[in-house]
């Protein structure tokens, strides 16, 4: 039996994260494509947040104007809803770290956007009776609050899921960058194209279609078979083994003093 260093196999250049991503196997193209679909969630949610915000302003303007009170009520209600979404998404991600929850949140936001198409007029009529100060806050909270909570929950979920595969700091930065890029795209496309050319209701339908398409695509993807230990394909990288340097490897003979 050869024990010299020249006889030992060359170290693999594969990284643990690629094994974790596929349950202990080399990450296949299908797995990478599924992760790409997951990373599209913060992009679409960021675009939808800004698109809904701009549409909300256009819905409020004919009844309440575009004063500082309208802007303050709109932004304050949306930021409060997003804060609740961040908190709820982080707590739920720790309990249910499953990708299907991300796409379920997108579909939940889409369902409320569809409801907005039906009840926007009734809600605005009722909010108009509350005055120019309280009315915009109530209208925004009813029409945009629930979808903002659902969309705000998406990024914490993606950070939790992707953070299991790579460095948490890098993952958080990547997810927030994708969400901000989506918000930037949603701002320009909504303000300079969709609303001027198609109007508010058609813009809501476009956002609804985008949320439904990605949500269904994510939920329809076959679920990966769970693995009891993602490190079993490469046991020499197991954190449990590295945590006890003095422990002997399985199958090795105990050394006795001569």
């Amino acid at each position: 039996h050869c024990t010299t260093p020249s006889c030992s196999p060359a170290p693999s250049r594969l990284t643990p994260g690629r094994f974790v991503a596929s349950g202990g196997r080399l990450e296949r193209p299908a797995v990478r494509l599924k992760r790409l679909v997951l990373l599209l969630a913060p992009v679409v949610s960021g675009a939808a947040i800004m698109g809904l915000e701009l549409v909300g302003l256009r819905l409020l303007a004919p009844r309440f104007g575009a004063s500082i009170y309208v802007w303050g009520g709109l932004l304050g209600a949306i930021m409060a809803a997003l804060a609740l979404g961040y908190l709820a998404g982080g707590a739920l991600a720790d309990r249910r770290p499953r990708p299907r929850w991300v796409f379920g949140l997108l579909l939940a936001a889409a369902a409320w956007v569809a409801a907005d198409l039906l009840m926007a007029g009734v809600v605005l009529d009722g909010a108009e009776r509350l005055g120019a100060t309280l009315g915009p806050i109530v209208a925004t909270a009813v029409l945009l609050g629930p979808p903002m909570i659902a969309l705000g929950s998406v990024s914490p979920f993606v950070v939790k899921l992707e953070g299991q595969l790579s460095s948490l700091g890098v993952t958080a930065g990547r997810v927030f960058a994708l969400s901000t890029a989506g918000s930037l795209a949603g701002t320009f496309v909504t303000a300079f194209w969709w609303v001027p050319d198609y109007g508010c209701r058609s813009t809501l339908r476009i956002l609804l279609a985008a949320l439904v398409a990605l949500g269904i695509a994510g939920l329809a993807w076959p679920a990966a078979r769970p693995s009891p230990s993602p490190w079993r394909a490469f046991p020499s990288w197991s954190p449990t083994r590295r945590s006890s340097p003095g422990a002997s490897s399985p199958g090795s003979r105990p050394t006795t003093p001569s």
Side-chain angles (χ1 to χ4, degrees):
H1 180 66
C2 180
T3 58
T4 61
S6 60
C7 297
S8 59
S12 174
R13 296 183 180 180
L14 301 175
T15 59
R18 299 188 67 188
F19 281 91
V20 177
S22 56
R25 299 180 300 275
L26 181 62
E27 187 175 294
R28 297 170 295 178
V31 178
R32 292 197 296 270
L33 183 58
K34 187 172 183 180
R35 291 182 62 192
L36 177 62
V37 173
L38 180 64
L39 289 175
L40 281 176
V43 178
V44 174
S45 65
I49 287 172
M50 293 307 301
L52 290 174
E53 183 175 336
L54 292 172
V55 170
L57 179 63
R58 288 298 299 265
L59 292 176
L60 295 175
R63 299 170 185 265
F64 302 100
S67 66
I68 190 66
Y69 300 108
V70 177
W71 273 102
L74 175 74
L75 295 177
I78 288 177
M79 293 178 67
L82 289 175
L84 291 175
Y86 298 147
L87 290 174
L92 189 59
D94 283 338
R95 297 183 180 183
R96 299 287 189 272
R98 298 291 184 272
R100 59 188 178 89
W101 282 91
V102 175
F103 303 109
L105 289 168
L106 295 178
L107 292 178
W112 199 268
V113 172
D116 286 342
L117 289 169
L118 301 176
M119 65 179 184
V122 177
V123 173
L124 291 172
D125 288 339
E128 193 174 7
R129 303 172 185 174
L130 301 176
T133 302
L134 185 59
I137 300 176
V138 173
T140 303
V142 174
L143 294 176
L144 303 182
M148 291 296 175
I149 293 175
L151 294 173
S153 303
V154 169
S155 291
F157 249 107
V158 178
V159 170
K160 173 69 175 182
L161 295 171
E162 284 291 308
Q164 299 172 354
L165 312 179
S166 60
S167 170
L168 186 58
V170 173
T171 299
R174 181 187 301 121
V175 171
F176 291 141
L178 290 173
S179 178
T180 304
S183 297
L184 183 64
T187 299
F188 286 122
V189 171
T190 302
F192 296 102
W193 182 18
W194 290 344
V195 170
D197 291 350
Y198 303 111
C200 292
R201 296 185 66 86
S202 296
T203 301
L204 288 177
R205 294 189 184 99
I206 294 173
L207 296 174
L208 170 64
L211 293 171
V212 170
L214 185 58
I216 292 178
L219 290 178
W221 203 287
R225 180 179 299 178
S227 173
S229 175
W231 301 93
R232 65 181 182 179
F234 214 78
S236 62
W237 284 338
S238 173
T240 56
R241 293 193 58 181
R242 287 182 294 177
S243 62
S244 55
S248 59
S249 60
S252 63
R253 295 181 180 180
T255 59
T256 56
S258 55

